[in-house]
């Protein structure tokens, strides 16, 4: 039995009652190793009052059999039928009566020697409107498997779907197949190749349409035996074709590839070069080629009194040639460094603290666009304390980013996250979580748009973003020292302002309070739940919900 009452803050009440009865049975078929069956019969009645009265009756049943479930070729089949009838006394049109029938089967095979697996799944759904006679049918088929022998692994996946309706011209078919071969003789070399194809056919009131796609992808990784050299390469090809009576036909082929080499002369340096290309033909003609080289250096941590210091630097150069033969050169320079201090104390338990100062500087020069410089300043502080009865975590982050040149833009962000969990007894505990986030963005995005008559100076205005939230929870698994009586409460408040002020005025603010009481004795389960949601500035203003569930097992 289920009882639920919803009270919106607008003053109007809605009432919801639900009664559900369910019978479940299961047993073996002949012998335990041969198989077992499971059946379920359920009936429910719902009544809703929200300005008008609505009744809903649902009768459902399901059955499932599993044969040879402990063998190397288990088989299972199921059927599920659900009959639903909705009666709306105040509606001008009759209610809704529909029946959903779903059945399927599964077959798999795995030999005792291993290395081989095969699965077949077939499902069919039939949704019938008992008032109009219209029905929607869909069939889904899935086949998958793999074969693993030595360094070779083959895998396959085939999907097929068919959907149609009886009284409306609407039919859709689609399929997909993917085959993958992986060759991995050791840690120094791997080669993965995948071939796939897919297609679809549709027929509706707009006419017929069909499409198909073929794909080929390969990925290679090679590491030298004696040198710290790694070579990676990938190649991808796709061919797309579509025809439709309602839209323009489409033909497109795409080929792209990339080859890179990485060299690590020591633990601090990394050198990397790559070449790549993209070619599209058909309805869209496009070509682009890219070459790039990067060099990165990362220092080891340097002791500096009570602090540790580390830095890194990098340079990069790339060249891109597009379809219009426009040659673009891009040069990049980066530098970053961090200063860190850590403390360990034993106050009320082990306490760890750390503070980090960081700075990132980058400069990008382009032969086409204006140069771009970026400076990022970072400060972070963290505190962690873990004891036998409690734990506390505090994280504070300050972030400042400023661009100059191509994009004069600045961003400042401050975020605070605090979490405390406390165990009160063997069965009860509580926790508090507090979050504050502030973001400010400023930039000179002004531009002058000229026409034949006058010039317009346009500037983008960006407002500051503020957010804060507080959440408190309490759990007790033995309320009033009664066994199997559990209580939980959770209170959350969120605001579009700092420090949870102006909760009654800002849009997007919300209060949320949930309480749950569970009790089970023998085969009887009872749970009561109340929920209160308050949105002071919203039109709906929030709701109050009371839900009671009673379950009896036989």
């Amino acid at each position: 039995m289920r009882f639920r009452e919803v009270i919106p803050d607008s003053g109007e009440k809605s009432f919801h009652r639900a009664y559900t009865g369910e019978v479940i049975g299961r047993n073996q078929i002949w012998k335990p190793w041969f198989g077992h069956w499971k059946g379920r019969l359920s009936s429910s009645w719902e009544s809703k009052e929200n300005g008008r009265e609505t009744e809903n009756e649902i009768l459902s049943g399901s059955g499932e059999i599993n044969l040879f479930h402990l063998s190397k070729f288990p088989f299972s089949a199921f059927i599920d039928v659900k009959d639903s009838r909705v009666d709306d006394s105040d509606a001008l049109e009759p209610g809704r009566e529909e029946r959903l029938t779903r059945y399927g089967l599964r077959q798999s095979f795995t030999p005792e020697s291993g290395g081989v697996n095969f699965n077949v799944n077939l499902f069919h759904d039939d949704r019938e409107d008992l008032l109009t006679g219209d029905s929607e049918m869909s069939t889904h088929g899935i086949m998958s498997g793999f074969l693993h022998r030595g360094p070779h692994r083959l895998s396959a996946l085939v999907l097929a779907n068919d959907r149609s309706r009886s009284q409306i011209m609407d039919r859709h078919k689609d399929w997909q197949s993917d085959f993958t071969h992986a060759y991995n003789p050791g840690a120094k070399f791997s080669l993965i190749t995948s071939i796939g194809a897919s297609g679809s056919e549709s027929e509706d009131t707009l006419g017929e349409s069909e499409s198909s796609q073929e794909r080929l992808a390969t990925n290679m990784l090679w590491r030298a035996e004696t040198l710290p050299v790694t070579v990676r390469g990938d190649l991808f090809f796709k061919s797309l074709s579509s025809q439709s009576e309602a839209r323009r036909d489409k033909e497109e082929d795409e080929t792209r590839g990339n080859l890179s080499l990485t060299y690590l002369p020591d633990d601090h340096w990394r050198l990397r070069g790559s070449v790549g290309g993209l070619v599209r033909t058909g309805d869209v003609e496009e070509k682009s080629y890219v070459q790039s080289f990067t060099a990165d250096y990362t220092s080891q941590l340097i002791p500096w009194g009570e602090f540790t210091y580390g830095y890194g630097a990098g340079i990069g150069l790339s060249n891109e040639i597009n379809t219009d033969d426009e040659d673009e050169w891009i040069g990049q320079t980066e530098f970053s460094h961090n200063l860190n201090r850590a403390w360990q104390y034993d106050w009320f338990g082990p306490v760890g603290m750390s503070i980090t100062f960081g700075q990132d500087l980058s400069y990008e020069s382009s032969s086409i666009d204006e140069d771009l410089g970026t400076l990022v300043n970072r400060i972070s502080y963290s505190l962690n304390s873990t004891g036998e009865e409690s734990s506390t975590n505090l994280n504070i982050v300050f972030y400042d980013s400023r661009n100059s040149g191509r994009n004069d833009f600045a961003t400042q962000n401050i975020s605070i996250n605090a979490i405390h969990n406390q165990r009160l007894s063997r069965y009860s505990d509580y926790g508090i979580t507090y979050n504050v986030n502030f973001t400010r963005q400023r930039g000179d995005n002004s531009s002058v748009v000229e026409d034949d008559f006058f010039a317009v100076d346009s500037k983008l205005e960006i407002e500051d973003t503020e957010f804060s939230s507080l959440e408190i929870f309490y759990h007790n698994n033995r309320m009033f020292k009664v066994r199997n009586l559990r209580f939980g409460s959770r209170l959350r408040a969120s605001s579009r302002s700092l420090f949870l002020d102006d909760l009654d005025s800002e849009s997007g603010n919300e209060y949320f309070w949930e309480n749950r009481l569970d009790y089970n004795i023998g085969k009887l389960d009872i749970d009561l739940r109340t929920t209160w949601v308050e949105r002071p500035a919203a039109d709906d203003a929030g709701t109050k919900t009371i839900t009671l569930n009673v379950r009896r097992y036989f």
Side-chain angles (χ1 to χ4, degrees), residues 289-291 317-322 325-331 364-370 406:
Y289 306 96
V290 180
Q291 305 89 37
L317 182 64
S318 64
N319 171 247
E320 181 176 356
I321 303 176
N322 298 314
D325 293 332
E326 188 176 23
D327 195 355
E328 180 181 9
W329 288 87
I330 299 176
E364 179 181 298
S365 177
S366 172
S367 60
I368 297 178
D369 297 327
E370 188 179 355
R406 184 193 317 162

PDB file of all heavy atoms in Angstrom, residues 289-291 317-322 325-331 364-370 406:
ATOM      1  N   TYR A 289      46.757  20.022 -43.657  1.00  0.00           N
ATOM      2  CA  TYR A 289      47.947  19.284 -43.239  1.00  0.00           C
ATOM      3  C   TYR A 289      48.601  20.054 -42.096  1.00  0.00           C
ATOM      4  O   TYR A 289      48.706  21.281 -42.131  1.00  0.00           O
ATOM      5  CB  TYR A 289      48.929  19.120 -44.400  1.00  0.00           C
ATOM      6  CG  TYR A 289      48.307  18.504 -45.626  1.00  0.00           C
ATOM      7  CD1 TYR A 289      47.831  19.313 -46.664  1.00  0.00           C
ATOM      8  CD2 TYR A 289      48.177  17.122 -45.747  1.00  0.00           C
ATOM      9  CE1 TYR A 289      47.246  18.757 -47.780  1.00  0.00           C
ATOM     10  CE2 TYR A 289      47.591  16.558 -46.866  1.00  0.00           C
ATOM     11  CZ  TYR A 289      47.125  17.388 -47.888  1.00  0.00           C
ATOM     12  OH  TYR A 289      46.534  16.830 -48.991  1.00  0.00           O
ATOM     13  N   VAL A 290      49.047  19.317 -41.076  1.00  0.00           N
ATOM     14  CA  VAL A 290      49.608  19.932 -39.879  1.00  0.00           C
ATOM     15  C   VAL A 290      50.917  19.243 -39.536  1.00  0.00           C
ATOM     16  O   VAL A 290      51.007  18.007 -39.560  1.00  0.00           O
ATOM     17  CB  VAL A 290      48.629  19.832 -38.683  1.00  0.00           C
ATOM     18  CG1 VAL A 290      49.245  20.478 -37.445  1.00  0.00           C
ATOM     19  CG2 VAL A 290      47.308  20.494 -39.009  1.00  0.00           C
ATOM     20  N   GLN A 291      51.930  20.044 -39.216  1.00  0.00           N
ATOM     21  CA  GLN A 291      53.193  19.543 -38.684  1.00  0.00           C
ATOM     22  C   GLN A 291      53.490  20.330 -37.406  1.00  0.00           C
ATOM     23  O   GLN A 291      53.272  21.540 -37.355  1.00  0.00           O
ATOM     24  CB  GLN A 291      54.347  19.735 -39.682  1.00  0.00           C
ATOM     25  CG  GLN A 291      54.092  19.121 -41.060  1.00  0.00           C
ATOM     26  CD  GLN A 291      53.392  20.089 -41.999  1.00  0.00           C
ATOM     27  OE1 GLN A 291      53.662  21.272 -41.985  1.00  0.00           O
ATOM     28  NE2 GLN A 291      52.505  19.564 -42.832  1.00  0.00           N
ATOM     29  N   LEU A 317      56.231  24.676 -32.018  1.00  0.00           N
ATOM     30  CA  LEU A 317      56.113  25.298 -33.331  1.00  0.00           C
ATOM     31  C   LEU A 317      55.268  24.396 -34.206  1.00  0.00           C
ATOM     32  O   LEU A 317      55.504  23.185 -34.281  1.00  0.00           O
ATOM     33  CB  LEU A 317      57.496  25.499 -33.962  1.00  0.00           C
ATOM     34  CG  LEU A 317      57.527  26.184 -35.330  1.00  0.00           C
ATOM     35  CD1 LEU A 317      57.011  27.613 -35.225  1.00  0.00           C
ATOM     36  CD2 LEU A 317      58.932  26.153 -35.929  1.00  0.00           C
ATOM     37  N   SER A 318      54.245  24.969 -34.835  1.00  0.00           N
ATOM     38  CA  SER A 318      53.369  24.187 -35.712  1.00  0.00           C
ATOM     39  C   SER A 318      53.076  24.953 -36.977  1.00  0.00           C
ATOM     40  O   SER A 318      53.107  26.190 -36.999  1.00  0.00           O
ATOM     41  CB  SER A 318      52.055  23.838 -34.991  1.00  0.00           C
ATOM     42  OG  SER A 318      51.320  25.012 -34.686  1.00  0.00           O
ATOM     43  N   ASN A 319      52.767  24.203 -38.033  1.00  0.00           N
ATOM     44  CA  ASN A 319      52.444  24.776 -39.336  1.00  0.00           C
ATOM     45  C   ASN A 319      51.227  24.055 -39.891  1.00  0.00           C
ATOM     46  O   ASN A 319      51.159  22.822 -39.870  1.00  0.00           O
ATOM     47  CB  ASN A 319      53.630  24.635 -40.298  1.00  0.00           C
ATOM     48  CG  ASN A 319      53.266  25.027 -41.717  1.00  0.00           C
ATOM     49  OD1 ASN A 319      53.250  24.179 -42.602  1.00  0.00           O
ATOM     50  ND2 ASN A 319      52.947  26.295 -41.938  1.00  0.00           N
ATOM     51  N   GLU A 320      50.232  24.827 -40.335  1.00  0.00           N
ATOM     52  CA  GLU A 320      48.995  24.249 -40.873  1.00  0.00           C
ATOM     53  C   GLU A 320      48.707  24.856 -42.236  1.00  0.00           C
ATOM     54  O   GLU A 320      48.730  26.084 -42.403  1.00  0.00           O
ATOM     55  CB  GLU A 320      47.825  24.511 -39.940  1.00  0.00           C
ATOM     56  CG  GLU A 320      46.513  23.919 -40.426  1.00  0.00           C
ATOM     57  CD  GLU A 320      45.380  24.099 -39.442  1.00  0.00           C
ATOM     58  OE1 GLU A 320      45.642  24.623 -38.331  1.00  0.00           O
ATOM     59  OE2 GLU A 320      44.240  23.733 -39.776  1.00  0.00           O
ATOM     60  N   ILE A 321      48.412  23.978 -43.210  1.00  0.00           N
ATOM     61  CA  ILE A 321      48.057  24.392 -44.567  1.00  0.00           C
ATOM     62  C   ILE A 321      46.640  23.908 -44.840  1.00  0.00           C
ATOM     63  O   ILE A 321      46.368  22.706 -44.759  1.00  0.00           O
ATOM     64  CB  ILE A 321      49.035  23.814 -45.606  1.00  0.00           C
ATOM     65  CG1 ILE A 321      50.469  24.236 -45.281  1.00  0.00           C
ATOM     66  CG2 ILE A 321      48.648  24.265 -47.003  1.00  0.00           C
ATOM     67  CD1 ILE A 321      51.509  23.621 -46.199  1.00  0.00           C
ATOM     68  N   ASN A 322      45.715  24.829 -45.156  1.00  0.00           N
ATOM     69  CA  ASN A 322      44.317  24.495 -45.373  1.00  0.00           C
ATOM     70  C   ASN A 322      43.991  24.399 -46.847  1.00  0.00           C
ATOM     71  O   ASN A 322      44.864  24.525 -47.718  1.00  0.00           O
ATOM     72  CB  ASN A 322      43.421  25.546 -44.692  1.00  0.00           C
ATOM     73  CG  ASN A 322      43.621  25.572 -43.196  1.00  0.00           C
ATOM     74  OD1 ASN A 322      43.657  24.524 -42.560  1.00  0.00           O
ATOM     75  ND2 ASN A 322      43.792  26.764 -42.634  1.00  0.00           N
ATOM     76  N   ASP A 325      45.070  26.989 -49.351  1.00  0.00           N
ATOM     77  CA  ASP A 325      46.520  27.164 -49.405  1.00  0.00           C
ATOM     78  C   ASP A 325      46.995  28.292 -48.484  1.00  0.00           C
ATOM     79  O   ASP A 325      48.055  28.871 -48.695  1.00  0.00           O
ATOM     80  CB  ASP A 325      46.996  27.426 -50.839  1.00  0.00           C
ATOM     81  CG  ASP A 325      46.792  26.205 -51.731  1.00  0.00           C
ATOM     82  OD1 ASP A 325      46.802  25.089 -51.194  1.00  0.00           O
ATOM     83  OD2 ASP A 325      46.589  26.381 -52.946  1.00  0.00           O
ATOM     84  N   GLU A 326      46.201  28.581 -47.445  1.00  0.00           N
ATOM     85  CA  GLU A 326      46.613  29.572 -46.469  1.00  0.00           C
ATOM     86  C   GLU A 326      47.573  28.924 -45.476  1.00  0.00           C
ATOM     87  O   GLU A 326      47.221  27.979 -44.782  1.00  0.00           O
ATOM     88  CB  GLU A 326      45.397  30.145 -45.741  1.00  0.00           C
ATOM     89  CG  GLU A 326      45.724  31.332 -44.849  1.00  0.00           C
ATOM     90  CD  GLU A 326      44.469  31.923 -44.240  1.00  0.00           C
ATOM     91  OE1 GLU A 326      43.458  31.200 -44.144  1.00  0.00           O
ATOM     92  OE2 GLU A 326      44.511  33.105 -43.870  1.00  0.00           O
ATOM     93  N   ASP A 327      48.788  29.441 -45.439  1.00  0.00           N
ATOM     94  CA  ASP A 327      49.857  28.863 -44.625  1.00  0.00           C
ATOM     95  C   ASP A 327      49.933  29.620 -43.304  1.00  0.00           C
ATOM     96  O   ASP A 327      50.186  30.832 -43.283  1.00  0.00           O
ATOM     97  CB  ASP A 327      51.187  28.958 -45.383  1.00  0.00           C
ATOM     98  CG  ASP A 327      52.243  28.063 -44.765  1.00  0.00           C
ATOM     99  OD1 ASP A 327      51.951  27.468 -43.714  1.00  0.00           O
ATOM    100  OD2 ASP A 327      53.346  27.972 -45.321  1.00  0.00           O
ATOM    101  N   GLU A 328      49.694  28.895 -42.171  1.00  0.00           N
ATOM    102  CA  GLU A 328      49.724  29.532 -40.857  1.00  0.00           C
ATOM    103  C   GLU A 328      50.806  28.900 -40.007  1.00  0.00           C
ATOM    104  O   GLU A 328      50.878  27.682 -39.872  1.00  0.00           O
ATOM    105  CB  GLU A 328      48.377  29.409 -40.155  1.00  0.00           C
ATOM    106  CG  GLU A 328      48.358  30.064 -38.779  1.00  0.00           C
ATOM    107  CD  GLU A 328      47.022  29.921 -38.077  1.00  0.00           C
ATOM    108  OE1 GLU A 328      46.166  29.172 -38.586  1.00  0.00           O
ATOM    109  OE2 GLU A 328      46.835  30.555 -37.012  1.00  0.00           O
ATOM    110  N   TRP A 329      51.635  29.753 -39.428  1.00  0.00           N
ATOM    111  CA  TRP A 329      52.666  29.319 -38.496  1.00  0.00           C
ATOM    112  C   TRP A 329      52.279  29.790 -37.099  1.00  0.00           C
ATOM    113  O   TRP A 329      51.885  30.939 -36.904  1.00  0.00           O
ATOM    114  CB  TRP A 329      54.029  29.900 -38.875  1.00  0.00           C
ATOM    115  CG  TRP A 329      54.624  29.278 -40.102  1.00  0.00           C
ATOM    116  CD1 TRP A 329      54.420  29.656 -41.394  1.00  0.00           C
ATOM    117  CD2 TRP A 329      55.488  28.153 -40.137  1.00  0.00           C
ATOM    118  NE1 TRP A 329      55.107  28.843 -42.250  1.00  0.00           N
ATOM    119  CE2 TRP A 329      55.781  27.908 -41.502  1.00  0.00           C
ATOM    120  CE3 TRP A 329      56.058  27.327 -39.162  1.00  0.00           C
ATOM    121  CZ2 TRP A 329      56.619  26.872 -41.902  1.00  0.00           C
ATOM    122  CZ3 TRP A 329      56.893  26.300 -39.562  1.00  0.00           C
ATOM    123  CH2 TRP A 329      57.161  26.077 -40.912  1.00  0.00           C
ATOM    124  N   ILE A 330      52.406  28.895 -36.114  1.00  0.00           N
ATOM    125  CA  ILE A 330      52.080  29.220 -34.728  1.00  0.00           C
ATOM    126  C   ILE A 330      53.253  28.812 -33.847  1.00  0.00           C
ATOM    127  O   ILE A 330      53.700  27.663 -33.890  1.00  0.00           O
ATOM    128  CB  ILE A 330      50.797  28.505 -34.255  1.00  0.00           C
ATOM    129  CG1 ILE A 330      49.601  28.929 -35.108  1.00  0.00           C
ATOM    130  CG2 ILE A 330      50.532  28.784 -32.781  1.00  0.00           C
ATOM    131  CD1 ILE A 330      48.326  28.200 -34.752  1.00  0.00           C
ATOM    132  N   GLY A 331      53.741  29.764 -33.061  1.00  0.00           N
ATOM    133  CA  GLY A 331      54.804  29.496 -32.103  1.00  0.00           C
ATOM    134  C   GLY A 331      54.292  29.678 -30.683  1.00  0.00           C
ATOM    135  O   GLY A 331      53.547  30.632 -30.401  1.00  0.00           O
ATOM    136  N   GLU A 364      51.661  33.030 -27.292  1.00  0.00           N
ATOM    137  CA  GLU A 364      51.416  32.401 -28.591  1.00  0.00           C
ATOM    138  C   GLU A 364      51.490  33.449 -29.676  1.00  0.00           C
ATOM    139  O   GLU A 364      50.847  34.499 -29.599  1.00  0.00           O
ATOM    140  CB  GLU A 364      50.038  31.727 -28.611  1.00  0.00           C
ATOM    141  CG  GLU A 364      49.697  31.071 -29.937  1.00  0.00           C
ATOM    142  CD  GLU A 364      48.320  30.440 -29.926  1.00  0.00           C
ATOM    143  OE1 GLU A 364      48.105  29.507 -29.108  1.00  0.00           O
ATOM    144  OE2 GLU A 364      47.457  30.874 -30.723  1.00  0.00           O
ATOM    145  N   SER A 365      52.281  33.145 -30.707  1.00  0.00           N
ATOM    146  CA  SER A 365      52.456  34.045 -31.842  1.00  0.00           C
ATOM    147  C   SER A 365      51.984  33.352 -33.108  1.00  0.00           C
ATOM    148  O   SER A 365      52.347  32.199 -33.374  1.00  0.00           O
ATOM    149  CB  SER A 365      53.934  34.438 -31.980  1.00  0.00           C
ATOM    150  OG  SER A 365      54.124  35.257 -33.115  1.00  0.00           O
ATOM    151  N   SER A 366      51.132  34.041 -33.875  1.00  0.00           N
ATOM    152  CA  SER A 366      50.560  33.475 -35.094  1.00  0.00           C
ATOM    153  C   SER A 366      50.890  34.374 -36.276  1.00  0.00           C
ATOM    154  O   SER A 366      50.937  35.610 -36.148  1.00  0.00           O
ATOM    155  CB  SER A 366      49.043  33.329 -34.943  1.00  0.00           C
ATOM    156  OG  SER A 366      48.445  32.955 -36.167  1.00  0.00           O
ATOM    157  N   SER A 367      51.104  33.725 -37.420  1.00  0.00           N
ATOM    158  CA  SER A 367      51.393  34.487 -38.631  1.00  0.00           C
ATOM    159  C   SER A 367      50.143  35.116 -39.234  1.00  0.00           C
ATOM    160  O   SER A 367      50.251  35.960 -40.132  1.00  0.00           O
ATOM    161  CB  SER A 367      52.052  33.572 -39.677  1.00  0.00           C
ATOM    162  OG  SER A 367      51.180  32.492 -40.016  1.00  0.00           O
ATOM    163  N   ILE A 368      48.947  34.734 -38.742  1.00  0.00           N
ATOM    164  CA  ILE A 368      47.688  35.262 -39.276  1.00  0.00           C
ATOM    165  C   ILE A 368      46.972  36.115 -38.242  1.00  0.00           C
ATOM    166  O   ILE A 368      46.594  37.256 -38.497  1.00  0.00           O
ATOM    167  CB  ILE A 368      46.780  34.124 -39.760  1.00  0.00           C
ATOM    168  CG1 ILE A 368      47.450  33.364 -40.914  1.00  0.00           C
ATOM    169  CG2 ILE A 368      45.417  34.665 -40.194  1.00  0.00           C
ATOM    170  CD1 ILE A 368      46.628  32.201 -41.421  1.00  0.00           C
ATOM    171  N   ASP A 369      46.775  35.571 -37.018  1.00  0.00           N
ATOM    172  CA  ASP A 369      46.059  36.288 -35.974  1.00  0.00           C
ATOM    173  C   ASP A 369      47.019  37.098 -35.112  1.00  0.00           C
ATOM    174  O   ASP A 369      48.246  36.949 -35.172  1.00  0.00           O
ATOM    175  CB  ASP A 369      45.281  35.313 -35.093  1.00  0.00           C
ATOM    176  CG  ASP A 369      44.211  34.578 -35.871  1.00  0.00           C
ATOM    177  OD1 ASP A 369      43.647  35.187 -36.814  1.00  0.00           O
ATOM    178  OD2 ASP A 369      43.952  33.401 -35.559  1.00  0.00           O
ATOM    179  N   GLU A 370      46.432  37.926 -34.250  1.00  0.00           N
ATOM    180  CA  GLU A 370      47.204  38.719 -33.319  1.00  0.00           C
ATOM    181  C   GLU A 370      47.778  37.821 -32.226  1.00  0.00           C
ATOM    182  O   GLU A 370      47.214  36.783 -31.895  1.00  0.00           O
ATOM    183  CB  GLU A 370      46.303  39.800 -32.696  1.00  0.00           C
ATOM    184  CG  GLU A 370      47.045  40.807 -31.845  1.00  0.00           C
ATOM    185  CD  GLU A 370      46.102  41.857 -31.288  1.00  0.00           C
ATOM    186  OE1 GLU A 370      44.913  41.833 -31.659  1.00  0.00           O
ATOM    187  OE2 GLU A 370      46.553  42.687 -30.469  1.00  0.00           O
ATOM    188  N   ARG A 406      45.369  39.277 -28.519  1.00  0.00           N
ATOM    189  CA  ARG A 406      44.231  38.865 -29.328  1.00  0.00           C
ATOM    190  C   ARG A 406      42.922  38.877 -28.535  1.00  0.00           C
ATOM    191  O   ARG A 406      41.853  39.167 -29.070  1.00  0.00           O
ATOM    192  CB  ARG A 406      44.489  37.457 -29.871  1.00  0.00           C
ATOM    193  CG  ARG A 406      43.418  36.940 -30.811  1.00  0.00           C
ATOM    194  CD  ARG A 406      43.595  35.446 -31.039  1.00  0.00           C
ATOM    195  NE  ARG A 406      45.006  35.104 -31.245  1.00  0.00           N
ATOM    196  CZ  ARG A 406      45.474  33.875 -31.125  1.00  0.00           C
ATOM    197  NH1 ARG A 406      44.677  32.876 -30.781  1.00  0.00           N
ATOM    198  NH2 ARG A 406      46.759  33.639 -31.329  1.00  0.00           N
TER     199      ARG A 406
END
